[in-house]
Amino acid sequence: MKRGLTILVIMALLVGTIFAARQLIIFHWWTAGGEREAADAMFDVFKCKHPDVEIVENPVAGGGGVSLRVVLQSRLAAGIPPDTWQTLGGAELKSYVDGGYLVPLDDLWNELDYASVIPKPLANAVTIEGHHYTIPLNMHIQNILYYNKKLFKELGLKPPKTYSELIEVAKKIKNAKPGMSPLALGTKEKWEAAFVFDSILLEVGGPEYYVKLYKGEIDVRKDPNFKKALQMFKELIPYIYPYHSTLTWDESCGLVVSGDAAMVLMGTWAIGYFKTRGWEPGKDFDAVTFPQKPERILLFHPDTYGLAKGAPHPDVAMDWLRTVASKAFQVRTDVTQGGLFARIDIDPCFFPDPIRKELQNYVRNHPDKLILDQHGSIAPFSFTQSYWDVIAGFLSDPNVDRTISSVADMFELYSVKEEAAWYKWP
Amino acid sequence: MVLFHCPDKISQKIRERGEGSKEPGSMRDKILNFLVFLLPLLLVLIILYGMLFWTFYISVSNWRGTSPNYEFVGLKWYRMMFRLDRFWVDVKNNLKWLVVGVGPTLFIALLIAYLLEISSLRGFETYIRTLILYPAAMSFIVTGTVWSWMYQPDRGVLNTIWRFLHLDFLQSGYITDPKTATYWLVLIFVWQYLGISVIILQSSFRTTELKEMIESALIDGASRMRILFQVILPNIRGGLLILGGLLIISALKVFDIVYIVTFGGPGYSTDVLAFFMFIATFQQHLVSLGAGLSVVIFLMAFIVVVPYTVYAFRRWFS
């Protein structure tokens, strides 16, 4: 009798805690070193405002969200979504919207007046058919050229801002240090090659061309710009680290630190990597956006959070999204993680490194110079994945005509024109 | 049927127990037997064949993107698949894995097993066997990582050794050269499966009949090579057939080595069907295309494995 009573009491307590607890079930891929600290910072800010909420993370290891997407996709298809999950803006977000997994957040955007505090291209990247679907918390910039500052000083070089300057600098480095690759690159995950190619495209065609190309509005087969860009990419090959296909992006940045390479074209997240290797921004390495001709365009993608349709705790999720949009949250998280602030009303001086200070300042004064990059892409996922493969393969087998015809095929095969029609720029 | 055959002693015991109880209970036994086998039977039917059918159905539906779409579109995705250059590269690579992966493993394993059994190395047999078996005890994730260190052209183990020995002409780009990369991956497979292959072959050497035959052949003064090809080979068919089947299936479903070592690169030159299936389904969100690729893998396995099994069983029971 007595025992039965105890069991009853325990059960009542258990049931009580289950129902009383306010939970936030969240999927994110910031689990690796450096990014883990950013995730902790972000939950810290949230906990500070909502100490009663229990955060249930379901982090799956693996950068860029490769493994996370596998788990998330099966959970969504099975009808057991988390409350909120990390997604990039652009094509990835669109795939969730098309699947009907996200709730539009137009009211929240109005409540926060979010559209007026972030750059317009950033708002466009998470707006599909007039509805805002997620809250972006940062912007990663793709086209940044990092260089070994001491080496550049030693050889009397200026950081290249155009393709011809890049070739010139590369030649000088190669002459002075025959054992060194002027440009580091790691194409194991393929997208890294597309980063370099994007920069060339941007210089050859300019921003309007770039957007039109990835919206599928250009006939690649007859397009002189695309052909020219490929030829320029081919000319660059002798200056690129030859065994790029074995390296991931961080290993390729490692080549710059170890002195095997002089420069690397990588996103803002590389700053964090250089720091963990003990390199001081502005002292050991520095960066310029590349190219700066004909215009200084920043290719970007945001990390964002949205509200799941059928979220188990929608109230908590809304509290989370309000926090994500706040200045305090973005300052702590973005400074740790490596991107720029999504809000342009935050003082750029919060960044400890001169590189991001300068970039944030530029974005603040020129919020219209942002275009979606390869990760939060304009073109659909199905296209970009195979596009990366072809561009990475081009580096080992630089056949211009064949590459043009297979890229042209892909634009048709993955019906890029229809799938990318949602994107508006400027 | 063979599977359900009880050895005589056990069936006798069961019979005794049946006689001991008041009722003969043959009916009850039958029902019990049926129930016991029903569960695994259902599991096989539902999980294996159900999923197989489901995959096939997805491949003729129109599921692209994150939410299921079961609208029937016929062979649309197969037609698209055949238009993809990547698909044909994959098929070629899978065939390379099959040919270069299975044959050499069998042959080298046979030689090693023979050396261990016959030659003067016999005293060291246990040590050598442990040495060879080690790779089999590791997962592909580990072997893959280790071998990527070996193959790394800059600082990798192999090229460093060649440079140290002044054998510079042996240096190579290994997995960075799209023309040869797949073969270097297959070498990892051979290395990994060699140990278990040797063990399986060795065990089939150790029948008393075979031992006697080898002894008498030795007394007759037959050469060692002749013993291997004319005495041993015809008498270890069972072991060879099992091993061949195991290797063929492993080579067809290869995924992990490619995923770890090259991620399909450079470009997609080392891609295989199973890896493309993963990319298509979870990266490109073309689930129907991914399902179609699985069906192709299944058909390839079917075409290779079924005739093999039929042949194997015939030889075995003849």
Side-chain angles (χ1 to χ4, degrees), chain A residues 163 200 203-204 228-236:
Chain A
Y163 176 80
I200 298 174
E203 179 168 336
V204 173
K228 194 179 167 202
L230 273 179
Q231 277 158 349
M232 285 159 79
F233 196 28
K234 189 176 174 179
E235 278 167 45
L236 196 60

Side-chain angles (χ1 to χ4, degrees), chain B residues 32 64 66 110 126 145 151 196 206 234 238 288:
Chain B
L32 251 172
R64 71 181 284 173
T66 44
L110 186 66
T126 32
T145 312
Y151 285 152
I196 196 86
R206 290 191 177 168
S288 288

Side-chain angles (χ1 to χ4, degrees), chain B residues 110-111 113-122 205 214-215 217-234:
Chain B
L110 186 66
L111 284 185
Y114 178 60
L115 281 177
L116 290 180
E117 283 298 301
I118 303 299
S119 74
S120 50
L121 285 172
R122 274 205 85 155
F205 281 4
I214 294 170
E215 253 166 52
L218 276 171
I219 292 165
D220 289 347
S223 79
R224 294 225 152 117
M225 269 297 136
R226 210 165 154 204
I227 292 178
L228 175 61
F229 286 108
Q230 293 191 333
V231 180
I232 296 180
L233 261 188

Side-chain angles (χ1 to χ4, degrees), chain B residues 88-147:
Chain B
W88 296 108
V89 171
D90 291 359
V91 171
K92 259 182 238 157
N93 281 343
N94 267 100
L95 290 177
K96 276 184 201 166
W97 275 88
L98 211 54
V99 175
V100 189
V102 178
T105 316
L106 270 178
F107 183 70
I108 300 170
L110 186 66
L111 284 185
I112 295 180
Y114 178 60
L115 281 177
L116 290 180
E117 283 298 301
I118 303 299
S119 74
S120 50
L121 285 172
R122 274 205 85 155
F124 302 103
E125 197 255 343
T126 32
Y127 301 105
I128 294 175
R129 190 169 52 181
T130 322
L131 216 64
I132 297 175
L133 246 184
Y134 261 125
M138 281 191 264
S139 83
F140 271 126
I141 308 294
V142 179
T143 18
T145 312
V146 170
W147 278 88

Side-chain angles (χ1 to χ4, degrees), chain A residues 58-136:
Chain A
N58 210 330
V60 181
V66 175
S67 336
L68 180 96
R69 274 185 204 115
V70 177
V71 180
L72 181 64
Q73 195 177 331
S74 15
R75 288 269 305 249
L76 290 177
I80 33 173
D83 290 311
T84 181
W85 66 88
Q86 182 177 13
T87 165
L88 309 172
E92 185 183 19
L93 172 69
K94 187 173 179 283
S95 73
Y96 294 126
V97 173
D98 286 349
Y101 294 121
L102 285 170
V103 181
L105 297 173
D106 298 326
D107 293 340
L108 184 66
W109 273 60
N110 287 336
E111 176 197 321
L112 301 165
D113 196 16
Y114 208 52
S116 67
V117 293
I118 61 170
K120 188 155 194 304
L122 176 58
N124 282 355
V126 294
T127 304
I128 286 156
E129 279 160 18
H131 295 291
H132 309 297
Y133 278 95
T134 52
I135 300 283

Side-chain angles (χ1 to χ4, degrees), chain A residues 7 31 59 125 144 154 174 200 219 239-240 259 261 280 304 367 373:
Chain A
I7 291 174
T31 53
I144 301 176
E154 181 193 323
K174 203 145 202 198
I200 298 174
D219 183 3
Y239 306 107
I240 294 177
E280 276 294 307
T304 73
D373 68 3

